[in-house]
Amino acid sequence: MEKVIKLIMNTDKSIKILVNEEEKHIIAAQNRSIAADKIYEVIGFSLGDHYSITSENESSVDNQVLEFFSDVLTDIITKINSISVD
């Protein structure tokens, strides 16, 4: 299944994570962290899934933070997408 992960930087500096346009998690501005098990839960991994990622920051606040989380998730989904299904 094709899954699109979208990160949205909100004006309050929290980051909303959507998968296929469905809100899955919010990273609070006060505590900018997310655990590995939460990432697994958010992406809803299933063998054969293929992921892509986009990000949105209309207010241009904390671009570096959004880029950091985007890079982390990009590394994860690159590895997931390389899993071959036989």
Side-chain angles (χ1 to χ4, degrees), residues 30-44:
Q30 301 82 0
N31 180 11
R32 294 247 174 98
S33 65
I34 185 168
D37 60 338
K38 184 51 120 174
I39 292 172
Y40 181 80
E41 179 184 318
V42 165
I43 65 173

Side-chain angles (χ1 to χ4, degrees), residues 10-71:
N10 297 311
T11 54
D12 67 357
K13 299 185 180 182
S14 64
I15 300 172
K16 189 183 307 184
I17 304 174
L18 294 91
V19 177
N20 292 344
E21 298 299 323
E22 181 182 339
E23 186 177 314
K24 295 291 187 172
H25 185 69
I26 294 180
I27 300 171
Q30 301 82 0
N31 180 11
R32 294 247 174 98
S33 65
I34 185 168
D37 60 338
K38 184 51 120 174
I39 292 172
Y40 181 80
E41 179 184 318
V42 165
I43 65 173
F45 174 75
S46 186
L47 195 59
D49 286 349
H50 185 269
Y51 297 87
S52 59
I53 188 164
T54 63
S55 60
E56 180 180 299
N57 190 355
E58 291 180 1
S59 58
S60 295
V61 296
D62 283 354
N63 281 320
Q64 290 176 323
V65 174
L66 184 62
E67 287 176 21
F68 170 80
F69 281 107
S70 180
D71 289 347

